[in-house]
């Protein structure tokens, strides 16, 4: 018995094979926001381990952010990353270049020289603090037909915070990060994108105000897209524990913010889901909410979590999930078609997420022990099986 759903040029279908196993076969996924940590921080992750982890999660294309050492802010520095990608990546790895030299927000990179070698430009991990610099960056990006992907964070509003400035922070004596530190820069940038015509992408949105601003901007015809992460869709501050596994940037927000993000998925305001896969060493994540490094891993759990908690519960359709994880990011970031790339998931039996089984060097996930459906059993890249379980 087979039920097949047509979706654009691709085919998504659920099938029951002769062994009685229910499977989903679908276009392989694209993640436009990952951290592979190499060069510079290979004790956290490498291009080899990160790309293998991605394949184990159903991804055949990932885009690593530029918070590296050296920062890919010149042809010379970018080449150090590209050399490792050519040598070690088992899937398509398309790097970002920085927006500014050293990601310091002071001097724009040579966009024209870098644009043909990168997927887009971002200072991810750092918000561009100067409106003047962002205006200049967007103007140059528009002239060169490039995408600017913004990490929106106003440093003047952080005040030493490290989790959401909400109920949990107040009740447990933690310093909070206010929502305006995110949506304030989005509001500024949307005005600049409207002025310049820049193709503007907002990274990892987490607040209800961000959803509203982007929704209104799209209605005005601004060239903007955005992403959110699985953790912002499935968790909120009510789920926090005194554990570094729950610390990321942006932080887990309120239940109201989470609901606004889900509504943004449903009405098309949110264009794609990206994991913001951000591995750290076990020691760096062992210092509780206050002292741990910010970031969690997500490449190996994203589909199963979202399928179980959004699709099986009727919040979004399977077709919509595939659009969010595959076709939409591929189209927006001009990654081309990949007709030979697909992935297979077993949905017949639930399994528990166990970070000890991750191929990533990072093991910090707030979803440890969650029971989910949708174990990746095979990933095919350019017609060849690169992962099989």
């Amino acid at each position: 018995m087979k039920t097949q759903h047509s979706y654009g040029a691709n085919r998504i279908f659920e099938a029951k094979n002769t062994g009685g196993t229910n499977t989903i076969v679908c276009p392989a996924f694209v993640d436009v926001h990952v951290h592979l940590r190499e060069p510079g921080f290979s004790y956290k992750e490498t291009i080899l381990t990160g790309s293998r982890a991605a394949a184990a999660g159903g991804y055949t294309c990932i885009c690593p952010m530029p918070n590296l050492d050296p920062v890919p802010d010149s042809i010379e520095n970018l080449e150090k990353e590209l050399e490792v990608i050519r040598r070690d990546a088992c899937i398509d790895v398309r790097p970002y270049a920085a927006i500014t030299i050293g990601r310091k927000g002071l001097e724009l990179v040579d966009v024209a020289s870098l644009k043909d070698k990168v997927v887009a430009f971002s200072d991810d991990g750092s918000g561009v603090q100067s409106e003047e610099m962002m205006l200049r960056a967007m103007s140059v990006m528009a002239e060169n037909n490039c995408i600017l992907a913004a990490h929106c964070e106003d440093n003047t509003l952080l005040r030493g915070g490290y989790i959401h400035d909400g109920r949990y922070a107040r009740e447990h004596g933690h310093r909070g990060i206010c929502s305006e530190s995110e949506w304030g820069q989005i509001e500024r940038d949307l005005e600049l994108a409207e002025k310049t015509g820049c193709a503007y992408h907002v990274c990892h949105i987490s607040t209800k105000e961000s959803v509203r601003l982007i929704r209104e901007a799209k209605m005005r015809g601004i060239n903007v897209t955005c992403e959110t992460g699985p953790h912002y869709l499935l968790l909120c501050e009510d789920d926090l524990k005194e554990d570094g596994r729950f610390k990321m940037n942006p932080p887990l927000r309120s239940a109201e913010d989470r609901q606004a993000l889900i509504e943004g998925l449903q009405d098309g305001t949110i264009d794609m889901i990206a994991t913001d896969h951000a591995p750290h060493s076990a020691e760096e994540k062992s210092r509780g909410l206050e002292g741990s490094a910010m970031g969690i891993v997500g490449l190996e759990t994203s589909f199963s979590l979202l399928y179980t908690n959004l699709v099986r519960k009727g919040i979004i359709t399977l077709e919509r999930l595939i659009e969010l994880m595959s076709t939409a990011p591929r189209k927006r970031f001009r990654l081309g078609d990949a007709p030979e790339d697909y992935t297979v998931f077993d949905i017949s039996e639930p399994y528990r997420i166990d970070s000890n089984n991750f191929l990533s060097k990072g093991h910090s996930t707030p979803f440890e022990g969650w029971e989910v459906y949708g174990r990746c059993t095979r990933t095919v890249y350019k017609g060849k099986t690169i992962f099989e379980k």
Side-chain angles (χ1 to χ4, degrees):
M1 176 181 176
K2 180 188 294 184
T3 303
Q4 182 163 295
H5 309 276
S6 176
Y7 185 74
N10 299 300
R11 290 286 187 180
I12 304 167
F13 56 89
E14 296 180 56
K16 181 174 286 187
N17 69 20
T18 55
T21 299
N22 288 313
T23 60
I24 291 173
V25 183
C26 62
F29 305 142
V30 175
D31 194 334
V32 299
H33 192 145
V34 302
H35 300 268
L36 298 185
R37 307 302 193 194
E38 190 178 23
F41 309 95
S42 56
Y43 71 93
K44 299 174 187 275
E45 189 78 287
T46 65
I47 288 165
L48 177 63
T49 59
S51 64
R52 286 178 174 174
Y59 293 88
T60 59
C61 182
I62 55 176
C63 304
M65 287 294 179
N67 47 350
L68 303 169
D69 185 13
V71 174
D73 55 10
S74 66
I75 291 294
E76 179 184 8
N77 287 346
L78 175 64
E79 182 55 34
K80 292 178 172 64
E81 182 182 4
L82 291 173
E83 181 181 358
V84 185
I85 290 170
R86 289 190 291 266
R87 185 188 71 207
D88 291 346
C90 68
I91 60 173
D92 189 9
V93 176
R94 306 280 190 100
Y96 283 84
I99 298 170
T100 63
I101 301 296
R103 298 174 41 250
K104 295 179 179 179
L106 301 176
E107 182 181 355
L108 190 65
V109 301
D110 184 350
V111 173
S113 70
L114 291 162
K115 66 177 183 178
D116 293 333
K117 298 179 180 294
V118 297
V119 67
F121 293 79
S122 181
D123 272 2
D124 187 64
S126 306
V128 176
Q129 302 303 303
S130 164
E131 180 174 344
E132 181 182 358
M133 174 55 69
M134 185 57 97
L135 175 60
R136 184 181 173 209
M138 285 193 180
S139 298
V140 174
M141 299 295 170
E143 291 169 5
N144 285 273
N145 192 29
C146 299
I147 296 172
L148 186 150
H151 171 112
C152 292
E153 186 172 42
D154 185 340
N155 292 348
T156 67
L157 299 176
L158 298 181
R159 304 184 184 99
Y162 46 88
I163 64 170
H164 176 59
D165 186 16
R167 178 194 57 77
Y168 188 94
R170 292 190 297 271
E171 292 180 358
H172 294 81
H174 291 295
R175 294 188 299 279
I177 300 174
C178 69
S179 296
E180 188 179 356
S181 64
E182 173 180 305
W183 65 257
Q185 277 204 350
I186 293 175
E187 186 173 46
R188 177 201 72 182
D189 288 356
L190 288 169
E191 293 179 1
L192 300 178
E194 187 169 28
K195 181 183 297 185
T196 61
C198 174
Y200 176 58
H201 179 78
V202 191
C203 297
H204 48 45
I205 68 169
S206 67
T207 76
K208 61 183 184 295
E209 294 91 349
S210 300
V211 176
R212 176 183 57 79
L213 286 165
I214 293 167
R215 180 183 291 121
E216 293 172 353
K218 287 186 171 188
M219 293 175 66
R220 299 201 307 273
I222 297 175
N223 185 0
V224 57
T225 53
C226 67
E227 69 191 49
T228 194
H231 39 293
Y232 303 120
L233 295 165
L234 304 182
L235 298 169
C236 67
E237 65 173 342
D238 299 336
D239 301 296
L240 283 171
K241 297 180 182 178
E242 295 296 313
D243 190 314
R245 293 184 299 116
F246 293 83
K247 186 177 183 182
M248 69 287 292
N249 190 27
L252 297 176
R253 303 287 188 182
S254 70
E256 187 179 2
D257 290 307
R258 175 180 172 271
Q259 182 57 39
L261 292 169
I262 289 173
E263 291 170 4
L265 288 188
Q266 294 171 326
D267 70 12
T269 299
I270 296 174
D271 301 272
M272 60 199 76
I273 295 174
T275 63
D276 194 6
H277 176 83
H280 296 285
S281 70
E283 193 281 328
E284 288 171 321
K285 294 297 291 183
S286 67
R287 307 168 191 161
L289 284 178
E290 181 174 2
S292 293
M294 287 182 166
I296 60 172
V297 295
L299 284 167
E300 296 172 72
T301 58
S302 56
F303 178 81
S304 57
L305 285 164
L306 295 166
Y307 173 75
T308 302
N309 293 284
L310 297 183
V311 175
R312 283 175 61 91
K313 294 180 180 179
I315 295 171
I316 61 172
T317 64
L318 176 60
E319 287 85 351
R320 175 63 174 147
L321 182 58
I322 302 307
E323 179 184 26
L324 290 159
M325 295 184 68
S326 180
T327 51
R330 188 169 288 280
K331 181 178 180 181
R332 173 58 163 174
F333 283 81
R334 309 159 191 166
L335 295 166
D337 294 329
E340 295 182 295
D341 293 11
Y342 67 91
T343 186
V344 183
F345 292 90
D346 176 2
I347 58 169
S348 59
E349 297 290 340
Y351 73 97
R352 291 196 179 275
I353 292 174
D354 181 354
S355 62
N356 292 315
N357 297 326
F358 289 173
L359 299 186
S360 170
K361 283 188 175 185
H363 296 269
S364 185
T365 171
F367 301 109
E368 186 77 48
W370 279 40
E371 185 176 87
V372 291
Y373 289 83
R375 187 192 297 273
C376 186
T377 59
R378 188 182 183 199
T379 301
V380 175
Y381 173 55
K382 293 185 176 180
K384 296 181 179 180
T385 297
I386 55 166
F387 172 81
E388 192 163 22
K389 190 172 183 66

